[in-house]
Amino acid sequence: MAKILLTSGPTRQYIDPVRYLTNASSGRMGRALAAAAIDAGHEVVVVSGPVEVEYPAGARVVWVLTTEEMLEAARREFAACDGLIGVAAPCDYRPVRVEEHKIAKTGAPINLHLIETPDIVATLSHEKNERQSTQWVVGFALETDDHHYRAITKLQKKSCDLIVLNGPEAMNAATNNVEILDRTGSVVGAFSGSKEEVARRIFEVLAERLIAGTR
Ligand code: C5P
């Protein structure tokens, strides 16, 4: 049995007390992967941004709002886990300044000054490499162009063992269409169907290639 950490769902970056940046991630793929891992007998911790889906009863869920909170919670939980599946869609940018009061309309345009947030998968991968840990890391890549090239570049940059490539139609949808790439750039799985079915197939590849080897 392995202990698996999943990051799932979107994050929010507040502009003022009532407005925020986010994206359309629903947490459905995270929920389906959590269910597949639990069904296969593993222990699952999900660090999730705000979503409407319910995670499986067998998963422990840590709720967060921002990308920074997701990183802190994931870092804390990862220390006791065998591997990470980064299926979340964290906001990549945050406003430099969060206004204390609701921004009032004046009729004039306003500028939002945004800076990059930390990359959770990349940070945890690099930290575990520094510890020379045998923990494994699986990333997701959502690409619209040069799919394989971009996914492999991401796998290398984020130091993942495997990367799951899907298209933008996966966002907030019931179905998904994925390819799994390994460190050599080879496609080691290609699945389509409901997110539940696709998650089961992804998990089988992952269990065979990563979990079987660590335990
Ligand atoms: O760079 P991009 O956002 O396309 O990479 C997607 C992968 O990186 C996913 O596994 C996602 O969970 C992860 N990611 C992350 N932290 C971010 C942005 C993306 O962990 N700030």
Side-chain angles (χ1 to χ4, degrees):
M1 194 195 74
K3 185 168 176 186
I4 300 170
L5 172 64
L6 269 134
T7 61
S8 179
T11 58
R12 286 181 189 172
Q13 302 299 154
Y14 277 86
I15 295 165
D16 70 18
V18 294
R19 302 184 179 100
Y20 51 81
L21 304 172
T22 190
N23 61 63
S25 169
S26 63
R28 282 190 206 169
M29 202 59 207
R31 173 181 63 178
L33 279 162
I38 289 168
D39 290 348
H42 303 291
E43 189 179 340
V44 172
V45 184
V46 183
V47 175
S48 179
V51 292
E52 302 213 336
V53 300
E54 278 187 31
Y55 292 104
R60 181 161 63 84
V61 184
V62 180
W63 294 103
V64 296
L65 279 180
T66 65
T67 299
E68 292 91 334
E69 285 172 17
M70 187 173 271
L71 174 60
E72 283 321 305
R75 189 184 257 146
R76 227 175 23 243
E77 298 294 337
F78 192 48
C81 288
D82 298 295
L84 162 71
I85 308 177
V87 62
C91 277
D92 293 319
Y93 293 94
R94 66 172 174 85
V96 172
R97 179 188 152 87
V98 182
E99 297 298 333
E100 223 177 291
H101 303 285
K102 185 180 171 191
I103 300 168
K105 289 197 292 182
T106 62
I110 58 167
N111 289 315
L112 274 182
H113 189 191
L114 304 177
I115 53 169
E116 280 190 21
T117 54
D119 189 303
I120 295 155
V121 166
T123 306
L124 296 192
S125 280
H126 293 135
E127 288 176 358
K128 69 103 184 162
N129 287 346
E130 279 180 4
R131 292 196 300 272
Q132 298 190 328
S133 159
T134 56
Q135 288 165 302
W136 46 264
V137 174
V138 176
F140 272 67
L142 193 151
E143 306 298 341
T144 54
D145 308 285
D146 300 331
H147 304 77
H148 284 185
Y149 174 76
R150 284 177 190 250
I152 293 161
T153 307
K154 262 174 207 174
L155 175 148
Q156 286 167 348
K157 227 167 127 185
K158 297 177 196 239
S159 189
C160 297
D161 297 281
L162 294 172
I163 195 151
V164 182
L165 170 61
N166 47 203
E169 60 283 355
M171 275 260 176
N172 208 6
T175 56
N176 205 352
N177 190 342
V178 307
E179 287 181 311
I180 307 176
L181 305 180
D182 71 6
R183 282 175 167 278
T184 68
S186 305
V187 177
V188 296
F191 312 117
S192 59
S194 71
K195 285 192 174 168
E196 287 68 31
E197 178 55 21
V198 169
R200 264 194 299 277
R201 305 293 300 276
I202 293 173
F203 198 77
E204 280 168 14
V205 172
L206 203 150
E208 189 191 316
R209 294 185 155 250
L210 303 175
I211 300 176
T214 56
R215 290 264 148 154

